[in-house]
Amino acid sequence: MNTTTTKQSDIKRAWHLIDVKDQVLGRISTQIAQKLIGKTKPYFTPHLDCGDYVVIINSNYVKVTGKKQKNKIYYHHTNYPSGLRKIPFKRQLKKDSRKIITRAVSNMLPKNKLRALRLKRLRIFKTDKHIYQDKLKKKDK
């Protein structure tokens, strides 16, 4: 028996459409992260980027459980003195709901050089209209 190693030319990328309307943020972001990494593929290799493209629609309607709707806060620092900024979940949902999903998925991906490449294949839309219909139709045929 010979063991074959996966080469970059062996990787085939598929397109997945995920509707996050009324879905729980943490549950759906783990599924998205798995598709971006390519864990379900038989030729998965941790040091290669084997993942697929993921198109997410209806990001304005994502849900969280418990009291996170009120209590969840997103932090970032401007690198200036007293530059800590806080944005509550409700305000971030109204401002730009795509950042909520991007941040959740980004934190579930491995913290290595492949993270940015994987996040480039993540496409998020606020409503159910998107520009990747032709890519998704090719997958069905």
Side-chain angles (χ1 to χ4, degrees), residues 13-15 22 28-29 34-35 40-41 47 54 70 73 83 87 89 94 100-102 119 129 137-138:
R13 301 201 191 281
W15 285 78
D22 298 327
I28 199 72
S29 55
Q34 276 189 342
K35 286 181 178 22
T40 58
K41 295 189 176 185
H47 69 279
V54 179
K70 280 191 327 189
I73 296 175
I87 301 175
F89 178 82
K94 290 177 187 172
I100 292 173
I101 296 172
T102 303
L119 282 174
K129 294 180 176 64
K137 286 182 183 175
K138 286 181 185 174

Side-chain angles (χ1 to χ4, degrees), residues 12 45 73-74 92 96 134:
K12 293 171 185 59
T45 310
I73 296 175
Y74 292 100
Q92 184 66 45
D96 190 5
D134 57 335

Side-chain angles (χ1 to χ4, degrees), residues 121-137:
R121 289 196 313 275
L122 180 65
R123 314 290 206 269
I124 304 174
F125 296 94
K126 293 181 179 183
T127 60
D128 59 350
K129 294 180 176 64
H130 60 90
I131 59 173
Y132 297 106
Q133 290 288 26
D134 57 335
K135 304 279 188 184
L136 295 166
K137 286 182 183 175

Side-chain angles (χ1 to χ4, degrees), residues 23-41:
Q23 301 251 3
V24 178
L25 176 65
R27 302 282 177 151
I28 199 72
S29 55
T30 55
Q31 295 171 9
I32 295 166
Q34 276 189 342
K35 286 181 178 22
L36 288 174
I37 295 170
K39 277 259 179 140
T40 58
K41 295 189 176 185

Side-chain angles (χ1 to χ4, degrees), residues 8-101:
Q8 196 69 32
S9 60
D10 298 337
I11 297 171
K12 293 171 185 59
R13 301 201 191 281
W15 285 78
H16 301 279
L17 178 68
I18 298 177
D19 187 1
V20 296
K21 187 171 190 174
D22 298 327
Q23 301 251 3
V24 178
L25 176 65
R27 302 282 177 151
I28 199 72
S29 55
T30 55
Q31 295 171 9
I32 295 166
Q34 276 189 342
K35 286 181 178 22
L36 288 174
I37 295 170
K39 277 259 179 140
T40 58
K41 295 189 176 185
Y43 53 81
F44 170 72
T45 310
H47 69 279
L48 288 177
D49 191 12
C50 301
D52 295 334
Y53 290 91
V54 179
V55 178
I56 299 170
I57 57 174
N58 292 323
S59 69
N60 283 341
Y61 306 106
V62 71
K63 302 285 183 205
V64 287
T65 58
K67 296 182 180 181
K68 293 186 202 94
Q69 186 80 19
K70 280 191 327 189
N71 297 342
K72 188 169 180 67
I73 296 175
Y74 292 100
Y75 297 96
H76 79 276
H77 203 283
T78 63
N79 291 331
Y80 285 97
S82 69
L84 184 65
R85 302 289 183 249
K86 303 175 188 178
I87 301 175
F89 178 82
K90 275 188 173 179
R91 191 161 26 128
Q92 184 66 45
L93 191 64
K94 290 177 187 172
K95 185 177 176 184
D96 190 5
S97 59
R98 296 174 299 179
K99 288 186 179 180
I100 292 173
I101 296 172

Side-chain angles (χ1 to χ4, degrees), residues 93-115:
L93 191 64
K94 290 177 187 172
K95 185 177 176 184
D96 190 5
S97 59
R98 296 174 299 179
K99 288 186 179 180
I100 292 173
I101 296 172
T102 303
R103 193 160 177 179
V105 172
S106 174
N107 288 335
M108 291 188 182
L109 292 174
K111 281 66 171 177
N112 58 23
K113 292 180 180 182
L114 298 175
R115 181 195 233 176

